[in-house]
């Protein structure tokens, strides 16, 4: 199957240079293999690597993943690749997707033809821009359907690699002239949910006006969105953050399905960049369809539950949960902020989202007050500015305070 894929890539791009890497369970012999199994392990394995054939299946998979990751990093550093494609079932997809996530930066093409591409693919994709194509049939012998899928995949990776190569060339030229003639744009990340979209749109409108030289990156706070933003922060691809929507922390604390894990909020604080933090959508815990809701929430008669659509069910946080979330946010700021003078917390007293405004299905002023109070108490005496603003997170007045706050922090940083 890989040899057929290779031949179809060459049919779409005769001048293509293909590096074929053997990452299988056991060595395969073919003259078209660029990096054979033994060379991959010998050149890219750790000093403790042993013969993969002597290992259990899981250990072997881990060893080959480490080798493939190191190999891709080397090929990238030597400008030897403009895209990566693989074919596999569950084990092959796990191996190659892990290597792609760990070795390759955003925007270089990453393409996998997989039997696992239809279903929950979060394990494979994570927060990286990996393209999955469902193989329709198993990858177990040549037939007309699989060959058609592989031919489409070959055309896809060729087009993507050409686009990436052209963009790299154009960027090299434009960057050199831009550095000489134009002030660098301030790259601002903003987190958003559907119920905080109006506020984010107003912020984006303000910050992209002709008065400013900004470039805005909006991240959907679905768990992987927050992780993607924090990965970009860590790789110095963002200069300032408006973390308007912290629902991923709520999901982590209360058990929702859109958590970004235990380290959400930390990257920007540790970077010491201008950082506005708010609590948009912190009042809701995210789940899938109503029938997937954990029984403990269904059994709680006092719990507010809202079916956002057929695929998303939202649960309102309690007073106690809101307090825990506020304490978590304050603790992260206090422990992780490299420059506390670069952090400002802005709290919307009129509602955390479109659902918790006055008269909304999630209105609960007592729970909101528990959240606000926990943050204020946790940050008292730390030097971090905490501001309460009348209105909800989507109001013009609240947005204005957020925008002014960020501009002030950026100006202070640049002094």
């Amino acid at each position: 199957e890989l040899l057929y894929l290779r031949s179809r890539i060459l049919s779409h791009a005769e001048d293509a240079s293909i590096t074929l890497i053997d990452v299988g369970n056991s060595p395969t012999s073919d003259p078209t293999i660029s990096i054979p199994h033994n060379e991959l392990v010998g050149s890219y394995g750790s000093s403790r690597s042993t013969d993969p054939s002597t290992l259990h299946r899981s250990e072997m998979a881990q060893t080959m993943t480490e080798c493939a990751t190191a190999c891709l990093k080397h090929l990238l550093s030597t400008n030897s690749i403009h895209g990566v494609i693989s074919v596999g079932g569950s084990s092959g997809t796990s191996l190659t997707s892990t290597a792609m996530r760990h070795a390759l930066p955003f925007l270089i093409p990453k393409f996998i033809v997989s039997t696992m591409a239809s279903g929950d693919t979060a394990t494979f994709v994570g927060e990286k821009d990996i393209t999955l194509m469902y193989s329709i049939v198993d990858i177990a012998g040549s037939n007309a359907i699989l060959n058609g899928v592989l031919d489409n995949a070959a055309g896809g990776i060729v087009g993507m690699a050409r686009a990436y190569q052209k963009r790299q060339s154009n960027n090299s030229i434009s960057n050199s002239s831009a550095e000489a003639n134009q002030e660098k744009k301030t790259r601002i990340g903003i987190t958003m949910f559907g119920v905080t979209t109006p506020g984010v749109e107003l912020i984006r409108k303000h910050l992209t006006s002709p008065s400013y030289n900004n470039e805005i990156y909006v991240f959907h706070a679905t768990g992987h969105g927050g992780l993607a933003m924090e990965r970009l922060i860590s790789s110095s691809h963002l200069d300032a953050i408006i973390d308007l929507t912290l629902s991923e922390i709520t999901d982590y604390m209360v058990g929702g399905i859109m958590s970004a894990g235990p380290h959400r909020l930390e990257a920007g604080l540790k970077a010491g960049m201008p950082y506005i933090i708010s609590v948009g959508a912190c009042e809701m815990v995210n789940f899938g369809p109503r029938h997937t809701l954990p029984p403990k929430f269904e059994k709680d008669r006092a719990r507010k539950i809202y079916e956002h659509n057929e695929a998303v069910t939202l649960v309102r946080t309690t007073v106690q949960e809101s307090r825990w979330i506020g304490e978590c946010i304050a603790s992260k700021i206090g422990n992780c902020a490299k420059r506390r003078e670069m952090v400002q917390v802005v709290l919307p007293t009129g509602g955390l989202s479109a659902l918790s405004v006055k008269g909304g299905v999630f209105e609960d002023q007592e729970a909101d007050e528990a959240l606000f109070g926990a943050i204020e108490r946790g940050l008292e005496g730390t030097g971090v500015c905490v501001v309460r603003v009348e209105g909800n997170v989507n109001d013009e007045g609240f947005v204005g305070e957020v925008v002014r706050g960020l501009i002030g922090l950026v100006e202070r940083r640049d002094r």
Side-chain angles (χ1 to χ4, degrees):
E1 293 86 357
L2 277 172
L3 294 179
Y4 180 77
L5 175 64
R6 180 182 183 277
S7 72
R8 297 317 298 158
I9 290 174
L10 289 173
S11 76
H12 294 295
E14 295 181 1
D15 59 340
S17 172
I18 299 176
T19 303
L20 187 58
I21 308 169
D22 182 4
V23 297
N25 294 340
S26 57
T28 300
S29 178
D30 191 274
T32 62
I33 296 177
S34 312
I35 302 179
H37 198 274
N38 61 343
E39 180 183 333
L40 180 68
V41 175
S43 299
Y44 299 101
S46 65
S47 57
R48 64 181 185 280
S49 292
T50 56
D51 181 359
S53 64
T54 66
L55 302 173
H56 292 297
R57 185 178 179 87
S58 61
E59 295 174 325
M60 178 176 61
Q62 182 177 349
T63 296
M64 296 309 296
T65 300
E66 292 172 355
C67 294
T69 301
C71 181
L72 287 182
K73 286 181 178 179
H74 173 72
L75 293 173
L76 183 69
S77 69
T78 56
N79 296 316
S80 301
I81 51 175
H82 295 108
V84 178
I85 187 169
S86 70
V87 177
S90 61
S91 295
T93 303
S94 177
L95 189 158
T96 56
S97 65
T98 301
M100 290 179 188
R101 289 197 313 274
H102 292 167
L104 304 178
F106 289 106
L107 301 184
I108 185 168
K110 312 164 191 68
F111 199 122
I112 303 176
V113 179
S114 173
T115 59
M116 305 296 290
S118 180
D120 184 0
T121 60
T123 302
F124 306 126
V125 178
E127 71 276 17
K128 280 301 184 74
D129 51 339
I130 295 175
T131 300
L132 296 178
M133 176 183 281
Y134 185 48
S135 62
I136 304 176
V137 296
D138 207 343
I139 302 166
S142 177
N143 57 64
I145 291 178
L146 183 58
N147 288 349
V149 169
L150 294 177
D151 190 28
N152 286 342
I157 193 62
V158 166
M160 294 163 74
R162 281 176 169 161
Y164 176 79
Q165 181 185 31
K166 183 176 181 180
R167 192 167 61 249
Q168 290 294 100
S169 176
N170 290 343
N171 285 347
S172 178
I173 296 171
S174 62
N175 285 344
S176 60
S177 60
E179 288 176 6
N181 302 312
Q182 185 176 326
E183 183 183 352
K184 183 181 177 182
K185 288 186 176 182
T186 299
R187 301 163 299 179
I188 302 171
I190 309 175
T191 49
M192 183 177 81
F193 229 28
V195 290
T196 62
T197 296
V200 172
E201 286 298 301
L202 286 171
I203 292 170
R204 192 168 62 84
K205 183 179 178 181
H206 280 291
L207 292 176
T208 55
S209 70
S211 306
Y212 304 111
N213 189 27
N214 298 321
E215 187 167 44
I216 306 300
Y217 299 78
V218 178
F219 298 89
H220 195 186
T222 57
H224 293 298
L227 289 172
M229 183 182 76
E230 302 219 333
R231 185 181 285 265
L232 286 169
I233 291 171
S234 299
S235 57
S236 301
H237 283 88
L238 293 172
D239 305 307
I241 301 295
I242 297 178
D243 224 338
L244 194 79
T245 309
L246 291 186
S247 54
E248 291 161 322
I249 288 182
T250 298
D251 275 29
Y252 173 71
M253 296 288 291
V254 188
I257 64 171
M258 295 187 182
S259 164
H263 302 296
R264 178 69 174 86
L265 198 64
E266 296 176 10
L269 293 169
K270 291 177 179 179
M273 59 174 50
Y275 207 134
I276 298 290
I277 295 172
S278 191
V279 287
C282 267
E283 84 279 25
M284 57 187 65
V285 194
N286 292 270
F287 295 98
R290 182 68 179 255
H291 70 270
T292 67
L293 199 64
K296 67 177 182 179
F297 295 112
E298 287 282 16
K299 291 177 181 178
D300 184 354
R301 297 287 184 180
R303 181 75 73 161
K304 295 178 181 178
I305 299 172
Y306 177 70
E307 292 185 65
H308 188 59
N309 54 48
E310 291 184 359
V312 177
T313 305
L314 306 174
V315 174
R316 214 308 178 181
T317 52
T318 64
V319 171
Q320 183 59 58
E321 288 164 352
S322 298
R323 187 175 296 113
W324 289 337
I325 293 162
E327 291 169 350
C328 174
I329 293 169
S331 176
K332 283 178 177 288
I333 296 171
N335 293 328
C336 298
K338 180 180 178 181
R339 299 181 62 189
R340 293 179 177 179
E341 73 277 11
M342 285 289 107
V343 182
Q344 182 173 322
V345 181
V346 188
L347 305 174
T349 60
L352 313 186
S353 76
L355 298 183
S356 59
V357 297
K358 187 173 183 179
V361 291
F362 276 178
E363 181 187 10
D364 188 336
Q365 294 181 10
E366 184 182 1
D368 289 352
E369 183 57 41
L371 174 69
F372 300 157
I375 292 173
E376 290 168 335
R377 287 189 299 274
L379 294 176
E380 188 175 0
T382 63
V384 174
C385 178
V386 182
V387 181
R388 290 197 184 205
V389 179
E390 290 185 9
N392 68 71
V393 73
N394 294 313
D395 281 347
E396 179 74 49
F398 176 80
V399 165
E401 187 68 33
V402 167
V403 170
R404 285 189 295 274
L406 184 74
I407 293 169
L409 293 179
V410 170
E411 290 175 347
R412 185 184 304 175
R413 178 204 61 187
D414 294 341
R415 289 194 191 115

